[in-house]
Amino acid sequence: MSDLARPPAGSALHRFASPARFLRLAGSLQPWLAGGTLLCLGVGLYLALFGSPADYQQGETVRIMYVHVPAAWMALFVYLCIALASASLLVWRHPLAGLVAKASAPLGAAFTFLALATGSLWGKPMWGTWWEWDGRMTSVLILFFLYLGLIALTNAFESPERGQRASAVLALVGVVNLPIIKFSVDWWNTLHQPASVMRLDGPTIDPSMLWPLLIMAAGFTFYYLWVMLLRVRGELVEARLRALQRLETEGR
Amino acid sequence: MGGIESFLGMGGYAAFVWPAYLLAAAVMGGFWAVSRAELKRRERQLQELEQRGGGRRRRRAEGPGGQVPR
Amino acid sequence: MTRKRRRLTILLLALLSLGTATALVLSAFDDNLVFFYSPTKLKAAELPPERLVRVGGLVLPGSVEKGPGSRVAFAITDNAAEVAVVYEGILPDLFREGQGVVAQGRLEPGGRFRAVEVLAKHDENYMPPEVAEALKESGEWRPAEGSDPKAGYATQ
């Protein structure tokens, strides 16, 4: 356990391993991330609602895309971040990595929930159904339950380190779900259509709709980093609190 | 007025488009607010504890090099 | 350093075997993961008539007959085979000739498909109506994209 708190010597990550240094860095990044979020979401919302055309097939419902697709991308991206943090927690015992994973899991669950809910609101008028058990939807639902599992497992242990290590193992096991989600629409017949943006032969979205989508996605990414750092700071303060409280009871 | 009405009507799909946006705003706004409130609450708690604890204990709690003790 | 490297090796090996196992399981269940059959596959599958299945493809242009009442008859095609479908109920807004649909129901002995639910499937193209118009006028509407069969319909 003693090597947990010690930053790995000689590692490039060493510089950020100290919580004090991290807090300073997070503090100076925060206003930029908040500004980026508000700017991108402001411009993105304007373009999504006023500055973009209706679709030739789907009419005005295409505007649901501007929240549905960024939420779904973030659901995957946040999981990828958790998996990387989990690997560095298990292999290099990086002390902050566990906190990043812990702070990210509820955010990922929220994005996944948004992707599922807005997809349902889009599916009803266009496909004619709120929900179907096709490959894409089922695998995203599994992702949602994975996030809930990570949250539960992190808090299931008396010692925070053990909880973080256990959920790191689960996070790495769950990584197999990411390619399944991404390629489900290509591997199997699904109700969900294939990828429109992240495809080898270029996007199949008209630029007048692609730009609002990308700006919204940038806003969602800034939002994640902003709120995640906020939550990591909260976790660090909580760790200090626990240590002080322990000292007080011991000193009495 | 007709312009606003047709905008809010979303081509007859208002019942699907607006809930999607409102839900996203509520979830993301709420999540930020809760995270921030939690940070502030803990920071207040820590401040109280540090004032009560005095200097010697605080230095010990911070550990060498500002490490968080585990 | 060696302990870290050992942990990293264990982690990579574990992930590799997990990935392999998942790939094997998924390929074993491949048929059950299919959300719908194409008309070609449906005919080849020789399913028992009471079995509830989904068939997906494009609505054959000119095949839609509405009435009496809420009854609709149309044909689903994958450009290789077609299935005649009858359905009574509300169609989704995207339902139109040439559009992708997925119908759930039972294959009657005569070869007609009685649907209990019809869903519309759309493709991955998004554009304003003017652009779609211009593409069609200039003959740049590429069948590989557009509202023609995409991988899912034609190959399965």
Side-chain angles (χ1 to χ4, degrees), chain A residues 55-57 90-91 127 132 172-173 188-190 193 196 199 204 206, chain C residues 7 11 18 30 35-36 54 99 119-122 124 126-127 129 152:
Chain A
D55 183 61
Y56 77 115
Q57 286 271 345
L90 291 179
V91 176
W127 297 340
E132 288 295 324
L172 289 172
V173 171
W188 308 302
N189 287 339
T190 50
Q193 69 286 357
S196 297
R199 46 187 293 147
T204 57
D206 190 80
Chain C
R7 286 201 292 259
L11 186 76
L18 185 71
D30 202 21
F35 185 67
F36 58 83
R54 291 196 189 87
Q99 183 74 35
L119 304 177
K121 191 172 148 56
H122 61 79
E124 65 276 34
Y126 299 88
M127 63 188 93

PDB file of all heavy atoms in Angstrom, chain A residues 55-57 90-91 127 132 172-173 188-190 193 196 199 204 206, chain C residues 7 11 18 30 35-36 54 99 119-122 124 126-127 129 152:
ATOM      1  N   ASP A  55     -33.787  18.250 -42.512  1.00  0.00           N
ATOM      2  CA  ASP A  55     -33.289  17.170 -43.365  1.00  0.00           C
ATOM      3  C   ASP A  55     -34.296  16.861 -44.473  1.00  0.00           C
ATOM      4  O   ASP A  55     -35.499  17.021 -44.294  1.00  0.00           O
ATOM      5  CB  ASP A  55     -33.038  15.931 -42.521  1.00  0.00           C
ATOM      6  CG  ASP A  55     -32.443  14.791 -43.327  1.00  0.00           C
ATOM      7  OD1 ASP A  55     -31.336  14.977 -43.863  1.00  0.00           O
ATOM      8  OD2 ASP A  55     -33.079  13.731 -43.434  1.00  0.00           O
ATOM      9  N   TYR A  56     -33.785  16.383 -45.634  1.00  0.00           N
ATOM     10  CA  TYR A  56     -34.682  16.108 -46.767  1.00  0.00           C
ATOM     11  C   TYR A  56     -35.609  14.935 -46.466  1.00  0.00           C
ATOM     12  O   TYR A  56     -36.686  14.841 -47.047  1.00  0.00           O
ATOM     13  CB  TYR A  56     -33.866  15.840 -48.034  1.00  0.00           C
ATOM     14  CG  TYR A  56     -33.238  14.463 -48.131  1.00  0.00           C
ATOM     15  CD1 TYR A  56     -33.638  13.565 -49.120  1.00  0.00           C
ATOM     16  CD2 TYR A  56     -32.261  14.065 -47.243  1.00  0.00           C
ATOM     17  CE1 TYR A  56     -33.066  12.306 -49.205  1.00  0.00           C
ATOM     18  CE2 TYR A  56     -31.696  12.818 -47.326  1.00  0.00           C
ATOM     19  CZ  TYR A  56     -32.093  11.936 -48.304  1.00  0.00           C
ATOM     20  OH  TYR A  56     -31.534  10.687 -48.373  1.00  0.00           O
ATOM     21  N   GLN A  57     -35.201  14.032 -45.578  1.00  0.00           N
ATOM     22  CA  GLN A  57     -36.038  12.888 -45.245  1.00  0.00           C
ATOM     23  C   GLN A  57     -36.727  13.071 -43.894  1.00  0.00           C
ATOM     24  O   GLN A  57     -37.892  12.765 -43.729  1.00  0.00           O
ATOM     25  CB  GLN A  57     -35.167  11.619 -45.143  1.00  0.00           C
ATOM     26  CG  GLN A  57     -34.692  11.076 -46.458  1.00  0.00           C
ATOM     27  CD  GLN A  57     -35.677  10.091 -47.044  1.00  0.00           C
ATOM     28  OE1 GLN A  57     -36.556   9.621 -46.349  1.00  0.00           O
ATOM     29  NE2 GLN A  57     -35.539   9.793 -48.314  1.00  0.00           N
ATOM     30  N   LEU A  90      -3.645   0.453 -12.408  1.00  0.00           N
ATOM     31  CA  LEU A  90      -3.260  -0.931 -12.113  1.00  0.00           C
ATOM     32  C   LEU A  90      -1.788  -1.185 -12.405  1.00  0.00           C
ATOM     33  O   LEU A  90      -1.123  -1.918 -11.673  1.00  0.00           O
ATOM     34  CB  LEU A  90      -4.132  -1.898 -12.919  1.00  0.00           C
ATOM     35  CG  LEU A  90      -5.601  -1.965 -12.493  1.00  0.00           C
ATOM     36  CD1 LEU A  90      -6.366  -2.927 -13.376  1.00  0.00           C
ATOM     37  CD2 LEU A  90      -5.726  -2.380 -11.041  1.00  0.00           C
ATOM     38  N   VAL A  91      -1.270  -0.572 -13.463  1.00  0.00           N
ATOM     39  CA  VAL A  91       0.109  -0.875 -13.855  1.00  0.00           C
ATOM     40  C   VAL A  91       1.102   0.033 -13.151  1.00  0.00           C
ATOM     41  O   VAL A  91       2.050  -0.426 -12.537  1.00  0.00           O
ATOM     42  CB  VAL A  91       0.267  -0.765 -15.382  1.00  0.00           C
ATOM     43  CG1 VAL A  91       1.717  -0.986 -15.772  1.00  0.00           C
ATOM     44  CG2 VAL A  91      -0.610  -1.782 -16.082  1.00  0.00           C
ATOM     45  N   TRP A 127     -38.538   6.013 -36.827  1.00  0.00           N
ATOM     46  CA  TRP A 127     -38.570   4.571 -37.039  1.00  0.00           C
ATOM     47  C   TRP A 127     -39.945   3.991 -36.727  1.00  0.00           C
ATOM     48  O   TRP A 127     -40.301   2.926 -37.204  1.00  0.00           O
ATOM     49  CB  TRP A 127     -37.548   3.859 -36.157  1.00  0.00           C
ATOM     50  CG  TRP A 127     -36.132   4.220 -36.429  1.00  0.00           C
ATOM     51  CD1 TRP A 127     -35.637   4.786 -37.556  1.00  0.00           C
ATOM     52  CD2 TRP A 127     -35.014   4.009 -35.554  1.00  0.00           C
ATOM     53  NE1 TRP A 127     -34.281   4.952 -37.438  1.00  0.00           N
ATOM     54  CE2 TRP A 127     -33.873   4.489 -36.228  1.00  0.00           C
ATOM     55  CE3 TRP A 127     -34.871   3.472 -34.272  1.00  0.00           C
ATOM     56  CZ2 TRP A 127     -32.608   4.428 -35.667  1.00  0.00           C
ATOM     57  CZ3 TRP A 127     -33.615   3.412 -33.716  1.00  0.00           C
ATOM     58  CH2 TRP A 127     -32.494   3.891 -34.407  1.00  0.00           C
ATOM     59  N   GLU A 132     -35.969  -0.827 -29.653  1.00  0.00           N
ATOM     60  CA  GLU A 132     -35.898  -2.170 -30.227  1.00  0.00           C
ATOM     61  C   GLU A 132     -34.598  -2.803 -29.752  1.00  0.00           C
ATOM     62  O   GLU A 132     -33.622  -2.103 -29.517  1.00  0.00           O
ATOM     63  CB  GLU A 132     -35.902  -2.118 -31.765  1.00  0.00           C
ATOM     64  CG  GLU A 132     -37.229  -1.736 -32.381  1.00  0.00           C
ATOM     65  CD  GLU A 132     -38.327  -2.754 -32.126  1.00  0.00           C
ATOM     66  OE1 GLU A 132     -38.024  -3.971 -32.109  1.00  0.00           O
ATOM     67  OE2 GLU A 132     -39.486  -2.345 -31.951  1.00  0.00           O
ATOM     68  N   LEU A 172     -11.588  -2.364 -17.368  1.00  0.00           N
ATOM     69  CA  LEU A 172     -10.768  -2.933 -18.444  1.00  0.00           C
ATOM     70  C   LEU A 172     -11.471  -4.116 -19.096  1.00  0.00           C
ATOM     71  O   LEU A 172     -11.368  -4.321 -20.303  1.00  0.00           O
ATOM     72  CB  LEU A 172      -9.399  -3.331 -17.904  1.00  0.00           C
ATOM     73  CG  LEU A 172      -8.533  -2.113 -17.569  1.00  0.00           C
ATOM     74  CD1 LEU A 172      -7.258  -2.514 -16.865  1.00  0.00           C
ATOM     75  CD2 LEU A 172      -8.198  -1.343 -18.834  1.00  0.00           C
ATOM     76  N   VAL A 173     -12.191  -4.903 -18.292  1.00  0.00           N
ATOM     77  CA  VAL A 173     -12.964  -6.005 -18.880  1.00  0.00           C
ATOM     78  C   VAL A 173     -14.009  -5.442 -19.845  1.00  0.00           C
ATOM     79  O   VAL A 173     -14.224  -5.962 -20.938  1.00  0.00           O
ATOM     80  CB  VAL A 173     -13.638  -6.841 -17.771  1.00  0.00           C
ATOM     81  CG1 VAL A 173     -14.619  -7.841 -18.373  1.00  0.00           C
ATOM     82  CG2 VAL A 173     -12.593  -7.569 -16.948  1.00  0.00           C
ATOM     83  N   TRP A 188     -23.844  -6.440 -38.001  1.00  0.00           N
ATOM     84  CA  TRP A 188     -25.155  -7.080 -37.991  1.00  0.00           C
ATOM     85  C   TRP A 188     -26.192  -6.189 -38.656  1.00  0.00           C
ATOM     86  O   TRP A 188     -26.009  -4.985 -38.744  1.00  0.00           O
ATOM     87  CB  TRP A 188     -25.588  -7.381 -36.555  1.00  0.00           C
ATOM     88  CG  TRP A 188     -24.571  -8.133 -35.782  1.00  0.00           C
ATOM     89  CD1 TRP A 188     -24.035  -9.350 -36.113  1.00  0.00           C
ATOM     90  CD2 TRP A 188     -23.924  -7.730 -34.566  1.00  0.00           C
ATOM     91  NE1 TRP A 188     -23.101  -9.719 -35.180  1.00  0.00           N
ATOM     92  CE2 TRP A 188     -23.011  -8.757 -34.217  1.00  0.00           C
ATOM     93  CE3 TRP A 188     -24.028  -6.627 -33.733  1.00  0.00           C
ATOM     94  CZ2 TRP A 188     -22.213  -8.695 -33.074  1.00  0.00           C
ATOM     95  CZ3 TRP A 188     -23.241  -6.566 -32.605  1.00  0.00           C
ATOM     96  CH2 TRP A 188     -22.350  -7.593 -32.287  1.00  0.00           C
ATOM     97  N   ASN A 189     -27.283  -6.789 -39.090  1.00  0.00           N
ATOM     98  CA  ASN A 189     -28.426  -5.999 -39.529  1.00  0.00           C
ATOM     99  C   ASN A 189     -29.002  -5.299 -38.315  1.00  0.00           C
ATOM    100  O   ASN A 189     -29.458  -5.945 -37.391  1.00  0.00           O
ATOM    101  CB  ASN A 189     -29.526  -6.899 -40.090  1.00  0.00           C
ATOM    102  CG  ASN A 189     -29.149  -7.454 -41.441  1.00  0.00           C
ATOM    103  OD1 ASN A 189     -28.307  -6.906 -42.124  1.00  0.00           O
ATOM    104  ND2 ASN A 189     -29.784  -8.540 -41.816  1.00  0.00           N
ATOM    105  N   THR A 190     -28.983  -3.985 -38.336  1.00  0.00           N
ATOM    106  CA  THR A 190     -29.559  -3.262 -37.204  1.00  0.00           C
ATOM    107  C   THR A 190     -30.593  -2.287 -37.728  1.00  0.00           C
ATOM    108  O   THR A 190     -30.607  -1.941 -38.903  1.00  0.00           O
ATOM    109  CB  THR A 190     -28.482  -2.470 -36.433  1.00  0.00           C
ATOM    110  OG1 THR A 190     -27.739  -1.697 -37.378  1.00  0.00           O
ATOM    111  CG2 THR A 190     -27.556  -3.393 -35.679  1.00  0.00           C
ATOM    112  N   GLN A 193     -28.902   3.128 -38.323  1.00  0.00           N
ATOM    113  CA  GLN A 193     -28.153   3.254 -39.566  1.00  0.00           C
ATOM    114  C   GLN A 193     -26.640   3.257 -39.291  1.00  0.00           C
ATOM    115  O   GLN A 193     -26.231   3.528 -38.176  1.00  0.00           O
ATOM    116  CB  GLN A 193     -28.561   4.543 -40.292  1.00  0.00           C
ATOM    117  CG  GLN A 193     -28.128   5.834 -39.619  1.00  0.00           C
ATOM    118  CD  GLN A 193     -28.946   6.170 -38.388  1.00  0.00           C
ATOM    119  OE1 GLN A 193     -29.888   5.453 -38.051  1.00  0.00           O
ATOM    120  NE2 GLN A 193     -28.594   7.229 -37.701  1.00  0.00           N
ATOM    121  N   SER A 196     -22.181   8.013 -39.855  1.00  0.00           N
ATOM    122  CA  SER A 196     -22.273   9.104 -40.824  1.00  0.00           C
ATOM    123  C   SER A 196     -21.040   9.981 -40.827  1.00  0.00           C
ATOM    124  O   SER A 196     -20.725  10.616 -41.829  1.00  0.00           O
ATOM    125  CB  SER A 196     -23.486   9.992 -40.525  1.00  0.00           C
ATOM    126  OG  SER A 196     -24.676   9.276 -40.659  1.00  0.00           O
ATOM    127  N   ARG A 199     -16.271   7.629 -40.642  1.00  0.00           N
ATOM    128  CA  ARG A 199     -16.184   6.543 -41.601  1.00  0.00           C
ATOM    129  C   ARG A 199     -15.023   6.819 -42.533  1.00  0.00           C
ATOM    130  O   ARG A 199     -14.625   7.955 -42.735  1.00  0.00           O
ATOM    131  CB  ARG A 199     -17.493   6.387 -42.357  1.00  0.00           C
ATOM    132  CG  ARG A 199     -18.087   7.699 -42.852  1.00  0.00           C
ATOM    133  CD  ARG A 199     -19.448   7.528 -43.437  1.00  0.00           C
ATOM    134  NE  ARG A 199     -19.399   6.758 -44.660  1.00  0.00           N
ATOM    135  CZ  ARG A 199     -20.371   5.937 -45.046  1.00  0.00           C
ATOM    136  NH1 ARG A 199     -21.439   5.798 -44.288  1.00  0.00           N
ATOM    137  NH2 ARG A 199     -20.288   5.277 -46.160  1.00  0.00           N
ATOM    138  N   THR A 204     -21.074  11.530 -44.433  1.00  0.00           N
ATOM    139  CA  THR A 204     -22.211  11.560 -45.353  1.00  0.00           C
ATOM    140  C   THR A 204     -23.246  12.561 -44.860  1.00  0.00           C
ATOM    141  O   THR A 204     -24.424  12.406 -45.087  1.00  0.00           O
ATOM    142  CB  THR A 204     -22.850  10.177 -45.477  1.00  0.00           C
ATOM    143  OG1 THR A 204     -23.233   9.756 -44.166  1.00  0.00           O
ATOM    144  CG2 THR A 204     -21.908   9.172 -46.069  1.00  0.00           C
ATOM    145  N   ASP A 206     -24.262  16.637 -44.876  1.00  0.00           N
ATOM    146  CA  ASP A 206     -24.020  17.901 -45.547  1.00  0.00           C
ATOM    147  C   ASP A 206     -23.294  18.853 -44.590  1.00  0.00           C
ATOM    148  O   ASP A 206     -23.593  18.890 -43.398  1.00  0.00           O
ATOM    149  CB  ASP A 206     -25.366  18.499 -45.970  1.00  0.00           C
ATOM    150  CG  ASP A 206     -25.168  19.678 -46.890  1.00  0.00           C
ATOM    151  OD1 ASP A 206     -24.927  19.437 -48.081  1.00  0.00           O
ATOM    152  OD2 ASP A 206     -25.243  20.830 -46.411  1.00  0.00           O
TER     153      ASP A 206
ATOM    154  N   ARG C   7       3.233  -6.319 -14.398  1.00  0.00           N
ATOM    155  CA  ARG C   7       1.812  -5.967 -14.322  1.00  0.00           C
ATOM    156  C   ARG C   7       1.276  -5.594 -15.689  1.00  0.00           C
ATOM    157  O   ARG C   7       0.175  -5.996 -16.076  1.00  0.00           O
ATOM    158  CB  ARG C   7       1.626  -4.794 -13.352  1.00  0.00           C
ATOM    159  CG  ARG C   7       1.778  -5.182 -11.896  1.00  0.00           C
ATOM    160  CD  ARG C   7       1.100  -4.171 -11.007  1.00  0.00           C
ATOM    161  NE  ARG C   7       1.758  -2.875 -11.014  1.00  0.00           N
ATOM    162  CZ  ARG C   7       2.578  -2.453 -10.053  1.00  0.00           C
ATOM    163  NH1 ARG C   7       2.830  -3.229  -9.024  1.00  0.00           N
ATOM    164  NH2 ARG C   7       3.128  -1.273 -10.119  1.00  0.00           N
ATOM    165  N   LEU C  11      -1.655  -7.493 -17.761  1.00  0.00           N
ATOM    166  CA  LEU C  11      -2.823  -6.734 -18.215  1.00  0.00           C
ATOM    167  C   LEU C  11      -3.060  -6.917 -19.708  1.00  0.00           C
ATOM    168  O   LEU C  11      -4.176  -7.202 -20.147  1.00  0.00           O
ATOM    169  CB  LEU C  11      -2.602  -5.253 -17.899  1.00  0.00           C
ATOM    170  CG  LEU C  11      -3.792  -4.345 -18.176  1.00  0.00           C
ATOM    171  CD1 LEU C  11      -4.823  -4.536 -17.091  1.00  0.00           C
ATOM    172  CD2 LEU C  11      -3.357  -2.892 -18.243  1.00  0.00           C
ATOM    173  N   LEU C  18      -9.322 -11.896 -23.360  1.00  0.00           N
ATOM    174  CA  LEU C  18     -10.719 -11.460 -23.238  1.00  0.00           C
ATOM    175  C   LEU C  18     -11.282 -11.081 -24.607  1.00  0.00           C
ATOM    176  O   LEU C  18     -12.394 -11.481 -24.972  1.00  0.00           O
ATOM    177  CB  LEU C  18     -10.787 -10.254 -22.295  1.00  0.00           C
ATOM    178  CG  LEU C  18     -12.180  -9.747 -21.962  1.00  0.00           C
ATOM    179  CD1 LEU C  18     -12.878 -10.744 -21.052  1.00  0.00           C
ATOM    180  CD2 LEU C  18     -12.111  -8.394 -21.309  1.00  0.00           C
ATOM    181  N   ASP C  30     -23.643 -15.293 -34.133  1.00  0.00           N
ATOM    182  CA  ASP C  30     -23.864 -14.335 -35.211  1.00  0.00           C
ATOM    183  C   ASP C  30     -25.311 -14.314 -35.715  1.00  0.00           C
ATOM    184  O   ASP C  30     -25.918 -13.270 -35.866  1.00  0.00           O
ATOM    185  CB  ASP C  30     -22.925 -14.645 -36.372  1.00  0.00           C
ATOM    186  CG  ASP C  30     -22.724 -13.430 -37.248  1.00  0.00           C
ATOM    187  OD1 ASP C  30     -22.976 -12.331 -36.746  1.00  0.00           O
ATOM    188  OD2 ASP C  30     -22.350 -13.584 -38.411  1.00  0.00           O
ATOM    189  N   PHE C  35     -30.890  -8.565 -36.481  1.00  0.00           N
ATOM    190  CA  PHE C  35     -32.153  -7.956 -36.081  1.00  0.00           C
ATOM    191  C   PHE C  35     -33.256  -8.338 -37.060  1.00  0.00           C
ATOM    192  O   PHE C  35     -34.396  -8.501 -36.687  1.00  0.00           O
ATOM    193  CB  PHE C  35     -31.977  -6.439 -36.024  1.00  0.00           C
ATOM    194  CG  PHE C  35     -33.173  -5.708 -35.501  1.00  0.00           C
ATOM    195  CD1 PHE C  35     -33.559  -5.852 -34.186  1.00  0.00           C
ATOM    196  CD2 PHE C  35     -33.896  -4.863 -36.320  1.00  0.00           C
ATOM    197  CE1 PHE C  35     -34.657  -5.168 -33.697  1.00  0.00           C
ATOM    198  CE2 PHE C  35     -34.992  -4.184 -35.838  1.00  0.00           C
ATOM    199  CZ  PHE C  35     -35.370  -4.335 -34.522  1.00  0.00           C
ATOM    200  N   PHE C  36     -32.913  -8.492 -38.346  1.00  0.00           N
ATOM    201  CA  PHE C  36     -33.941  -8.858 -39.328  1.00  0.00           C
ATOM    202  C   PHE C  36     -33.332  -9.690 -40.450  1.00  0.00           C
ATOM    203  O   PHE C  36     -32.124  -9.694 -40.664  1.00  0.00           O
ATOM    204  CB  PHE C  36     -34.600  -7.606 -39.906  1.00  0.00           C
ATOM    205  CG  PHE C  36     -33.646  -6.646 -40.569  1.00  0.00           C
ATOM    206  CD1 PHE C  36     -33.229  -6.835 -41.878  1.00  0.00           C
ATOM    207  CD2 PHE C  36     -33.164  -5.540 -39.874  1.00  0.00           C
ATOM    208  CE1 PHE C  36     -32.352  -5.953 -42.490  1.00  0.00           C
ATOM    209  CE2 PHE C  36     -32.280  -4.653 -40.478  1.00  0.00           C
ATOM    210  CZ  PHE C  36     -31.876  -4.862 -41.785  1.00  0.00           C
ATOM    211  N   ARG C  54     -38.549 -10.887 -38.267  1.00  0.00           N
ATOM    212  CA  ARG C  54     -38.511  -9.561 -38.884  1.00  0.00           C
ATOM    213  C   ARG C  54     -37.897  -9.705 -40.268  1.00  0.00           C
ATOM    214  O   ARG C  54     -36.951 -10.454 -40.471  1.00  0.00           O
ATOM    215  CB  ARG C  54     -37.640  -8.613 -38.064  1.00  0.00           C
ATOM    216  CG  ARG C  54     -38.220  -8.251 -36.716  1.00  0.00           C
ATOM    217  CD  ARG C  54     -37.507  -7.026 -36.168  1.00  0.00           C
ATOM    218  NE  ARG C  54     -37.896  -6.768 -34.786  1.00  0.00           N
ATOM    219  CZ  ARG C  54     -37.301  -7.332 -33.750  1.00  0.00           C
ATOM    220  NH1 ARG C  54     -36.307  -8.183 -33.927  1.00  0.00           N
ATOM    221  NH2 ARG C  54     -37.698  -7.045 -32.533  1.00  0.00           N
ATOM    222  N   GLN C  99     -38.020   3.454 -49.498  1.00  0.00           N
ATOM    223  CA  GLN C  99     -37.426   3.662 -48.184  1.00  0.00           C
ATOM    224  C   GLN C  99     -37.155   2.320 -47.502  1.00  0.00           C
ATOM    225  O   GLN C  99     -37.858   1.338 -47.739  1.00  0.00           O
ATOM    226  CB  GLN C  99     -38.405   4.474 -47.336  1.00  0.00           C
ATOM    227  CG  GLN C  99     -37.908   4.822 -45.963  1.00  0.00           C
ATOM    228  CD  GLN C  99     -36.850   5.905 -46.007  1.00  0.00           C
ATOM    229  OE1 GLN C  99     -36.899   6.799 -46.834  1.00  0.00           O
ATOM    230  NE2 GLN C  99     -35.867   5.792 -45.134  1.00  0.00           N
ATOM    231  N   LEU C 119     -41.545  -0.877 -39.002  1.00  0.00           N
ATOM    232  CA  LEU C 119     -40.646   0.199 -38.610  1.00  0.00           C
ATOM    233  C   LEU C 119     -39.950   0.734 -39.847  1.00  0.00           C
ATOM    234  O   LEU C 119     -39.685  -0.017 -40.784  1.00  0.00           O
ATOM    235  CB  LEU C 119     -39.584  -0.316 -37.632  1.00  0.00           C
ATOM    236  CG  LEU C 119     -40.085  -0.991 -36.360  1.00  0.00           C
ATOM    237  CD1 LEU C 119     -38.918  -1.511 -35.554  1.00  0.00           C
ATOM    238  CD2 LEU C 119     -40.918  -0.032 -35.539  1.00  0.00           C
ATOM    239  N   ALA C 120     -39.646   2.037 -39.838  1.00  0.00           N
ATOM    240  CA  ALA C 120     -38.886   2.606 -40.946  1.00  0.00           C
ATOM    241  C   ALA C 120     -37.413   2.618 -40.563  1.00  0.00           C
ATOM    242  O   ALA C 120     -37.056   2.751 -39.403  1.00  0.00           O
ATOM    243  CB  ALA C 120     -39.367   4.020 -41.232  1.00  0.00           C
ATOM    244  N   LYS C 121     -36.574   2.417 -41.566  1.00  0.00           N
ATOM    245  CA  LYS C 121     -35.126   2.479 -41.335  1.00  0.00           C
ATOM    246  C   LYS C 121     -34.618   3.578 -42.246  1.00  0.00           C
ATOM    247  O   LYS C 121     -35.053   3.687 -43.388  1.00  0.00           O
ATOM    248  CB  LYS C 121     -34.536   1.132 -41.747  1.00  0.00           C
ATOM    249  CG  LYS C 121     -33.101   0.906 -41.332  1.00  0.00           C
ATOM    250  CD  LYS C 121     -32.736  -0.536 -41.629  1.00  0.00           C
ATOM    251  CE  LYS C 121     -31.282  -0.698 -42.003  1.00  0.00           C
ATOM    252  NZ  LYS C 121     -30.304  -0.221 -41.068  1.00  0.00           N
ATOM    253  N   HIS C 122     -33.762   4.443 -41.712  1.00  0.00           N
ATOM    254  CA  HIS C 122     -33.222   5.456 -42.621  1.00  0.00           C
ATOM    255  C   HIS C 122     -31.738   5.229 -42.810  1.00  0.00           C
ATOM    256  O   HIS C 122     -31.107   4.504 -42.063  1.00  0.00           O
ATOM    257  CB  HIS C 122     -33.552   6.867 -42.159  1.00  0.00           C
ATOM    258  CG  HIS C 122     -32.999   7.231 -40.823  1.00  0.00           C
ATOM    259  ND1 HIS C 122     -31.696   7.588 -40.614  1.00  0.00           N
ATOM    260  CD2 HIS C 122     -33.588   7.261 -39.593  1.00  0.00           C
ATOM    261  CE1 HIS C 122     -31.519   7.842 -39.339  1.00  0.00           C
ATOM    262  NE2 HIS C 122     -32.632   7.644 -38.700  1.00  0.00           N
ATOM    263  N   GLU C 124     -27.623   6.681 -43.698  1.00  0.00           N
ATOM    264  CA  GLU C 124     -26.698   7.539 -42.955  1.00  0.00           C
ATOM    265  C   GLU C 124     -26.480   8.876 -43.627  1.00  0.00           C
ATOM    266  O   GLU C 124     -25.564   9.596 -43.297  1.00  0.00           O
ATOM    267  CB  GLU C 124     -25.367   6.800 -42.760  1.00  0.00           C
ATOM    268  CG  GLU C 124     -24.591   6.513 -44.033  1.00  0.00           C
ATOM    269  CD  GLU C 124     -25.052   5.255 -44.747  1.00  0.00           C
ATOM    270  OE1 GLU C 124     -26.267   4.958 -44.702  1.00  0.00           O
ATOM    271  OE2 GLU C 124     -24.210   4.598 -45.362  1.00  0.00           O
ATOM    272  N   TYR C 126     -27.434  12.727 -44.463  1.00  0.00           N
ATOM    273  CA  TYR C 126     -28.193  13.865 -43.949  1.00  0.00           C
ATOM    274  C   TYR C 126     -27.900  15.056 -44.847  1.00  0.00           C
ATOM    275  O   TYR C 126     -26.738  15.359 -45.106  1.00  0.00           O
ATOM    276  CB  TYR C 126     -27.772  14.207 -42.518  1.00  0.00           C
ATOM    277  CG  TYR C 126     -28.003  13.093 -41.528  1.00  0.00           C
ATOM    278  CD1 TYR C 126     -27.039  12.129 -41.313  1.00  0.00           C
ATOM    279  CD2 TYR C 126     -29.189  13.015 -40.798  1.00  0.00           C
ATOM    280  CE1 TYR C 126     -27.243  11.103 -40.401  1.00  0.00           C
ATOM    281  CE2 TYR C 126     -29.393  12.003 -39.885  1.00  0.00           C
ATOM    282  CZ  TYR C 126     -28.426  11.051 -39.693  1.00  0.00           C
ATOM    283  OH  TYR C 126     -28.620  10.054 -38.790  1.00  0.00           O
ATOM    284  N   MET C 127     -28.926  15.708 -45.350  1.00  0.00           N
ATOM    285  CA  MET C 127     -28.728  16.910 -46.177  1.00  0.00           C
ATOM    286  C   MET C 127     -30.027  17.697 -46.241  1.00  0.00           C
ATOM    287  O   MET C 127     -31.110  17.157 -46.017  1.00  0.00           O
ATOM    288  CB  MET C 127     -28.266  16.513 -47.576  1.00  0.00           C
ATOM    289  CG  MET C 127     -29.265  15.681 -48.354  1.00  0.00           C
ATOM    290  SD  MET C 127     -28.580  15.065 -49.893  1.00  0.00           S
ATOM    291  CE  MET C 127     -27.959  13.467 -49.400  1.00  0.00           C
ATOM    292  N   PRO C 129     -33.164  19.622 -48.066  1.00  0.00           N
ATOM    293  CA  PRO C 129     -33.944  19.194 -49.231  1.00  0.00           C
ATOM    294  C   PRO C 129     -33.402  19.758 -50.548  1.00  0.00           C
ATOM    295  O   PRO C 129     -33.407  19.063 -51.564  1.00  0.00           O
ATOM    296  CB  PRO C 129     -35.345  19.747 -48.951  1.00  0.00           C
ATOM    297  CG  PRO C 129     -35.386  20.076 -47.506  1.00  0.00           C
ATOM    298  CD  PRO C 129     -33.997  20.258 -47.042  1.00  0.00           C
ATOM    299  N   GLY C 152     -26.469  -3.614 -45.472  1.00  0.00           N
ATOM    300  CA  GLY C 152     -27.389  -4.431 -44.696  1.00  0.00           C
ATOM    301  C   GLY C 152     -28.425  -5.163 -45.514  1.00  0.00           C
ATOM    302  O   GLY C 152     -28.758  -6.310 -45.213  1.00  0.00           O
TER     303      GLY C 152
END
